[in-house]
Amino acid sequence: MQMQDKITDKQLSDEQSREIAETIREELARRRISRQTLAEQAKLSLSTLEKVLGGRRPFTLATTVRLEQALGVSLRNNPVVAAPQAANDVAPDSLGSYAHRAVTWLEDVYITLRPSFGDKDAIFAYRTEIVWEPKVSSLVFREGDRTDAAYEHTGEVAVPHQSGFIYLVIIKHGQHRVITVSRPTVAGEMYGIISTLRAGPGSQLTPIAAPIAYVPLKNISKPSLGRIGSDDASYELYRKHLRRTVEESFAFFVSG
């Protein structure tokens, strides 16, 4: 035990500490999360995090490992291998090879918002749950409370380290639907683009893309579900979230 404590308390070099601090600052900016949030996820005091990021204290191996687990990224060029994950606790490479404990912050129930495909002035709102599924060893998402229940989907969640985005993917009978969203904001909201097919008359299908927002259910006191018109009490709040997708550059829509 004493030998293990010496290993985990080992201080990294000044150069390693500077590189790690720079990487963490980049991740915080890209994911739009606060230092307080990261400290809580890594089970560190905010004071400790502030000191190592400010160069007033070198990183220890133990602190670095906690931050790596919280962020789901490697912070060291030559990392000391941490304790191996259980075989069913790491997602496959095709989804980003993330460990369950590194993505627990994504597990939640969200109100999903996108423009209605049938009414340009309305907003379509439904529930989406993101949970870890041991049977497939990855996060999955499950849609519910849709007025078009026949189109409720369940799919896989990819969290690659490189891009900093999250992908909710459905592949069914060769057909693909992909939702690309940002990492959660401080309030847990995710914004991005849905690329899917719009059902038309008869068997007609048309490719369509639109802004989409995932807002934690706990953030909305009285959520409305279904096709939400301008007379609904939730309409302005929902419209504000969808506008934020474009106005704050979470996603771009380029016309030809």
Side-chain angles (χ1 to χ4, degrees):
M1 180 63 70
Q2 290 179 346
M3 179 61 71
Q4 181 66 29
D5 289 342
K6 289 180 181 179
I7 294 174
T8 56
D9 289 342
K10 175 186 176 183
Q11 291 186 348
L12 305 186
S13 68
D14 290 343
E15 182 179 356
Q16 284 179 306
S17 293
R18 284 194 297 270
E19 291 176 353
I20 291 171
E22 182 178 353
T23 301
I24 291 173
R25 287 193 291 269
E26 290 175 354
E27 289 292 325
L28 290 173
R30 184 171 64 176
R31 302 184 190 194
R32 305 186 191 197
I33 62 175
S34 67
R35 293 185 178 188
Q36 178 67 55
T37 299
L38 176 58
E40 292 173 356
Q41 292 174 350
K43 296 180 174 57
L44 296 172
S45 69
L46 179 59
S47 173
T48 296
L49 183 60
E50 292 283 6
K51 287 177 181 178
V52 293
L53 290 182
R56 299 191 302 276
R57 176 189 295 179
F59 281 84
T60 65
L61 182 55
T63 298
T64 305
V65 169
R66 287 189 179 188
L67 289 164
E68 287 178 332
Q69 292 171 349
L71 291 169
V73 299
S74 175
L75 298 172
R76 295 160 290 163
N77 291 330
N78 297 297
V80 176
V81 178
Q85 299 286 328
N88 65 342
D89 201 33
V90 178
D93 181 66
S94 60
L95 297 178
S97 302
Y98 54 84
H100 180 198
R101 61 185 177 182
V103 293
T104 54
W105 40 273
L106 275 174
E107 294 184 272
D108 209 338
V109 178
Y110 300 86
I111 298 298
T112 308
L113 308 171
R114 65 162 172 76
S116 169
F117 296 159
D119 182 347
K120 65 182 181 62
D121 295 320
I123 297 171
F124 195 46
Y126 52 94
R127 179 181 53 79
T128 300
E129 181 182 19
I130 297 180
V131 298
W132 181 266
E133 177 51 70
K135 292 181 180 178
V136 295
S137 190
S138 74
L139 290 173
V140 299
F141 70 95
R142 303 185 181 113
E143 298 175 349
D145 294 331
R146 289 183 56 153
T147 53
D148 55 349
Y151 294 95
E152 289 183 352
H153 294 293
T154 297
E156 299 174 314
V157 180
V159 190
H161 298 162
Q162 292 87 347
S163 71
F165 284 85
I166 297 161
Y167 303 85
L168 284 68
V169 183
I170 297 166
I171 304 176
K172 187 175 182 180
H173 306 308
Q175 295 187 18
H176 291 58
R177 186 186 78 159
V178 179
I179 299 170
T180 305
V181 292
S182 65
R183 303 228 174 192
T185 64
V186 173
E189 298 138 354
M190 299 184 288
Y191 301 92
I193 296 174
I194 177 174
S195 178
T196 186
L197 297 175
R198 174 187 176 183
S203 60
Q204 180 180 352
L205 296 172
T206 306
I208 190 168
I212 194 167
Y214 288 86
V215 183
L217 177 62
K218 59 180 177 287
N219 292 7
I220 304 176
S221 57
K222 296 181 180 179
S224 301
L225 299 175
R227 185 173 293 182
I228 310 301
S230 57
D231 58 341
D232 190 281
S234 298
Y235 182 80
E236 287 303 322
L237 175 62
Y238 289 179
R239 179 64 65 188
K240 179 180 178 181
H241 279 295
L242 285 179
R243 284 201 303 265
R244 187 179 182 188
T245 301
V246 177
E247 291 176 352
E248 297 190 22
S249 301
F250 285 99
F252 290 99
F253 294 85
V254 181
S255 57

